[in-house]
Amino acid sequence: MKWKKFTIQTTTAAEDFISEKLSEIGIEGIEIEDKVELTANDTKGMFIDVLPDLGPDDGEALVSFYLDDTYDVPKTLAAVKMALEEVASFVNAGSCEITASETEDKDWMNNWKQYFKPFVVDDLLIKPTWEEIPEGMEGKKLIQIDPGMAFGTGKHETTQLCIAGIRKYVKPGDNVLDVGTGSGILSICALLSGASHVVGTDLDENAIDAAHENAQVNGITSEQYKVLIGNLIDDQAIKDEVGYEAYDVVVANILADVIIALQEVVAVHVKHGGIFITSGIIDMKEQAVMDAFAKNPEFEVIDVLHQGEWVSIVTRRK
Ligand SMILES: C[S@@+](CC[C@H](N)C(=O)[O-])C[C@H]1O[C@@H](n2cnc3c(N)ncnc32)[C@H](O)[C@@H]1O
């Protein structure tokens, strides 16, 4: 399906008012481009450690929206123009010039699927649920994944580093905690590696459905895998539900700054001698995470792995 893209030249002062007006008109999927620096709160759920350098904020902004065949385009544009005039009457909204361009099918939710193909990590074949098993893969252990809106296709270096750690350290019968479970891929990998039970936690509500659906596709029962939504770092109810001195292996593939906060509080959940596999650490933050572990009397570093610009630090609880 073809979509028409319309871009309004405006100001950062007016961008939020314009977005609100566009929503009132019934336009969904609004994009804002500006040079306003993101706050720590903005980047919280984004999984970016290094922000792009946008240059100084010049006060200019572009607000884009998309209309498909279901819209009466002239009528909608007339409503947009009236809304822009209204916004311009109380705030500097810039030129409000609208430019139009045409774009291909914008099925954002599903277009990425064409690039996700079966691949091998160690002795595992990871394949999207909608793909066939490729020939010659009979000896491999199979993980089927549809991440949905959650993170975790298995393609990312940080996930692969954790998979390597799980394959090395998880033993039959282990209890495993997967902090930041996302699609559930690492939990499934742990269960395939012999773990008898896994608890996954995440902040993202999308993880619940994705992780449960992926568990089911992989033949995992609700007795083997439980997903909890909440923050193990500061939520006492989640900490109590996760349980204390209960885990042989904890895996956390999150960002370096989250790992630094997590290592201070996670030891109470790990058995003495248990393993804490961390990743999501960009190489420029490796030393900061190593320093944090060096100051923590609970853990000793036993393994450091690199893949591309990403690092996995594996520690053992003393
Ligand atoms: C990089 S993804 C990892 C997903 C999957 N485990 C993998 O390895 O592919 C990080 C996940 O951690 C979650 N997350 C971020 N901060 C968290 C926290 N403090 N506690 C639990 N989950 C968190 C995010 O919502 C996201 O699903």
Side-chain angles (χ1 to χ4, degrees):
M1 187 195 290
K2 293 259 189 220
W3 290 69
K4 282 201 163 56
K5 176 179 181 180
F6 296 92
T7 302
I8 305 164
Q9 180 82 45
T10 185
T11 64
T12 52
E15 63 190 21
D16 286 343
F17 295 112
I18 292 176
S19 308
E20 209 177 305
K21 289 282 173 201
L22 295 179
S23 305
E24 281 170 19
I25 293 168
I27 294 170
E28 289 168 358
I30 297 156
E31 277 172 22
I32 299 180
E33 294 162 73
D34 61 27
K35 294 186 182 137
V36 178
E37 219 174 285
L38 295 172
T39 63
N41 210 25
D42 293 332
T43 57
K44 221 175 183 175
M46 283 185 178
F47 301 101
I48 35 179
D49 240 335
V50 185
L51 291 169
D53 183 9
L54 300 172
D57 176 18
D58 54 9
E60 291 186 4
L62 298 175
V63 178
S64 298
F65 59 93
Y66 297 85
L67 303 180
D68 67 4
D69 303 341
T70 61
Y71 286 85
D72 179 338
V73 174
K75 195 171 156 198
T76 309
L77 281 183
V80 170
K81 288 200 170 104
M82 278 175 62
L84 291 175
E85 276 177 30
E86 197 187 326
V87 173
S89 70
F90 61 86
V91 65
N92 172 16
S95 71
C96 284
E97 188 189 341
I98 304 179
T99 48
S101 53
E102 203 152 85
T103 179
E104 281 303 316
D105 178 12
K106 286 194 71 69
D107 186 0
W108 290 290
M109 300 301 192
N110 290 305
N111 273 357
W112 58 274
K113 287 188 173 176
Q114 62 190 295
Y115 303 107
F116 181 22
K117 297 287 178 202
F119 61 100
V120 170
V121 183
D122 290 345
D123 58 343
L124 302 174
L125 170 67
I126 300 176
K127 90 167 184 63
T129 50
W130 56 90
E131 290 275 339
E132 297 295 322
I133 297 178
E135 275 177 35
M137 294 287 164
E138 290 73 26
K140 302 276 180 206
K141 286 189 162 68
L142 177 66
I143 296 184
Q144 305 197 67
I145 286 290
D146 181 348
M149 296 299 289
F151 184 106
T153 58
K155 274 282 189 191
H156 201 272
E157 288 96 328
T158 59
T159 310
Q160 298 191 7
L161 284 164
C162 289
I163 289 174
I166 289 169
R167 302 296 292 152
K168 185 165 173 184
Y169 293 105
V170 171
K171 302 176 301 304
D174 274 358
N175 256 336
V176 174
L177 174 63
D178 175 14
V179 186
T181 196
S183 67
I185 186 164
L186 298 180
S187 299
I188 296 166
C189 177
L191 287 159
L192 274 186
S193 307
S196 58
H197 191 260
V198 180
V199 173
T201 72
D202 208 291
L203 303 182
D204 180 3
E205 294 277 342
N206 288 316
I208 286 225
D209 288 346
H212 280 141
E213 280 162 26
N214 286 318
Q216 203 180 6
V217 170
N218 288 280
I220 288 160
T221 63
S222 51
E223 284 78 47
Q224 293 173 287
Y225 181 40
K226 181 162 79 170
V227 183
L228 306 171
I229 294 296
N231 197 341
L232 196 65
I233 295 171
D234 57 14
D235 182 339
Q236 190 57 46
I238 284 286
K239 291 177 79 64
D240 292 346
E241 205 169 344
V242 161
Y244 299 98
E245 306 238 331
Y247 296 93
D248 303 282
V249 176
V250 176
V251 60
N253 178 21
I254 319 183
L255 292 176
D257 293 344
V258 182
I259 300 296
I260 289 171
L262 188 61
Q263 56 82 31
E264 281 184 31
V265 299
V266 80
V268 291
H269 303 285
V270 190
K271 292 179 184 171
H272 288 282
I275 302 293
F276 180 28
I277 302 167
T278 71
S279 191
I281 303 161
I282 191 117
D283 50 11
M284 70 175 76
K285 296 209 172 175
E286 174 179 353
Q287 195 54 51
V289 181
M290 289 294 275
D291 290 347
F293 275 122
K295 282 191 213 133
N296 187 335
E298 294 284 351
F299 292 108
E300 57 176 335
V301 174
I302 56 169
D303 224 348
V304 181
L305 303 169
H306 296 88
Q307 194 171 326
E309 60 190 346
W310 297 96
V311 187
S312 169
I313 298 173
V314 182
T315 65
R316 181 183 288 121
R317 186 176 178 205
K318 291 176 191 164

